[in-house]
Amino acid sequence: MSDDIPFDKSFDLPPGRVEEVRPGVRRLLCNNPSPFTFKGTVSYIVGNGQVAIIDPGPLDETHIVALLDAVRGETVTHLFITHTHRDHSPAAARIKAATGASTFGAGPHRPARPLNVGEAPRLEASSDHEFRPDIMLADEDVVTGADWALEAVTTPGHTANHMAFALRGTDVLFSGDHVMAWSTPVVAPPDGAMSDYMASLEKLLRRAETIYFPGHGGAVRDAPSFVESYIRHRRSREQSILHQLAKGASDIPTLVRAIYIGLDPRLTRAAGLSVLAHLEDLVARGLVLTDGLPSADGVYRCRDDF
Ligand SMILES: [Zn+2]
């Protein structure tokens, strides 16, 4: 039931072109398209003259040069990181070395829960374990620049250290990979956790910002109702899982085949991890049973009296 989300895949910014999307907010697309990154990573430049960069992106020479070109004649004072995936944070070290800016974020990469015995972090290749912010931010911390102020909004779920940033005095929130107009994010244990992700969506619903600028693709307009549709989508996915378990499905590959009709084969593994994320949450809530800890090759069943 992914069609209940009003996705907006219109986004024709060519890589390398700087575009001002709001007074004092520019964006620049990196040329790293993929099924996970859509057209690529979007870096944001906030302010004029003395600026912040949000998510400098992957270690992509062309993009790093384009970012530095975009701020030529200005001073980069701050680098903000929404989360430590390789398409968002690795260029921070290079931009910091070139500009002297300090880095800000929720902390180094960490899993959402301890690894189970014999379990390897499955999306390991996508995580940036090098990045450590100069300044660790906590929820509601406000960082003030020359002509801007950004409020840290902890939004764990996609990763444990995911952080969105609200541009004070405006209706703008930089949502990273937590909320995106083109797709839902991957929520994959042990890096991510479904219960955290849902709580972070509910948290955004209580905020006033109405337009989100995400780490991939174009702006999320009418953000509160879009976030509601995200929540409805995950609840409906959860119902589908419970329904399939009640019909006799008992393992993750069977659930993925039954639920994700027409899935891009490159996304099968991610879909399996997303189902595992739901199952972890359902087991924790006592709605689904499994032997031992929820795992990718576990056998699952609905609680009898459910
Ligand atoms: Zn990510």
Side-chain angles (χ1 to χ4, degrees):
M1 292 260 305
S2 60
D3 51 351
D4 55 354
I5 302 179
F7 288 123
D8 179 357
K9 299 194 179 188
S10 60
F11 184 63
D12 8 2
L13 182 67
R17 180 185 299 170
V18 182
E19 182 183 43
E20 186 171 53
V21 287
R22 279 286 189 281
V25 178
R26 287 165 278 172
R27 66 182 173 189
L28 180 61
L29 174 68
C30 178
N31 192 16
N32 60 331
S34 83
F36 295 99
T37 61
F38 191 40
K39 306 273 178 86
T41 306
V42 183
S43 300
Y44 294 92
I45 301 164
V46 178
N48 294 288
Q50 296 194 28
V51 303
I53 293 175
I54 300 175
D55 281 356
L59 268 186
D60 177 301
E61 286 307 319
T62 308
H63 186 63
I64 290 167
V65 168
L67 257 181
L68 291 172
D69 267 354
V71 295
R72 191 173 301 270
E74 300 177 285
T75 307
V76 182
T77 54
H78 299 68
L79 293 167
F80 291 90
I81 300 299
T82 61
H83 65 296
T84 44
H85 276 159
R86 287 191 185 280
D87 52 332
H88 292 262
S89 49
R94 293 285 305 283
I95 306 285
K96 177 183 156 86
T99 63
S102 299
T103 55
F104 296 74
H109 196 79
R110 63 177 189 273
R113 58 158 169 78
L115 297 188
N116 299 335
V117 174
E119 181 182 44
R122 289 186 198 80
L123 294 181
E124 192 60 8
S126 68
S127 302
D128 173 10
H129 293 271
E130 309 291 312
F131 178 77
R132 279 181 165 57
D134 297 320
I135 293 152
M136 297 249 291
L137 296 176
D139 196 30
E140 298 183 13
D141 280 354
V142 176
V143 180
T144 305
D147 62 350
W148 52 264
L150 288 167
E151 177 189 349
V153 183
T154 51
T155 39
H158 174 64
T159 63
N161 68 354
H162 194 286
M163 189 167 258
F165 299 98
L167 184 57
R168 282 293 188 88
T170 75
D171 55 358
V172 167
L173 178 112
F174 298 96
S175 56
D177 283 7
H178 181 51
V179 179
M180 304 178 286
W182 73 283
S183 175
T184 54
V186 174
V187 177
D191 278 10
M194 191 58 70
S195 52
D196 291 346
Y197 172 72
M198 292 299 279
S200 293
L201 290 176
E202 301 278 354
K203 178 179 186 174
L204 290 195
L205 273 189
R206 298 191 292 272
R207 297 189 59 92
E209 292 85 14
T210 54
I211 183 158
Y212 295 175
F213 286 105
H216 306 279
V220 177
R221 293 170 201 290
D222 197 3
S225 83
F226 190 82
V227 170
E228 278 177 5
S229 74
Y230 252 40
I231 292 171
R232 275 200 308 274
H233 166 77
R234 293 288 176 170
R235 292 212 175 111
S236 122
R237 171 82 17 101
E238 181 180 292
Q239 286 305 312
S240 302
I241 290 170
L242 290 170
H243 178 69
Q244 293 298 332
L245 289 173
K247 276 174 57 182
S250 63
D251 60 78
I252 289 175
T254 307
L255 289 166
V256 168
R257 278 194 298 276
I259 294 166
Y260 292 82
I261 311 292
L263 180 71
D264 180 336
R266 292 173 296 179
L267 297 176
T268 304
R269 190 158 152 269
L273 290 171
S274 175
V275 170
L276 174 60
H278 275 290
L279 288 168
E280 277 189 358
D281 185 35
L282 289 165
V283 168
R285 288 155 58 198
L287 298 174
V288 167
L289 302 176
T290 186
D291 296 324
L293 294 164
S295 70
D297 47 10
V299 174
Y300 296 89
R301 61 194 184 278
C302 281
R303 207 178 64 192
D304 290 340
D305 58 343
F306 180 72

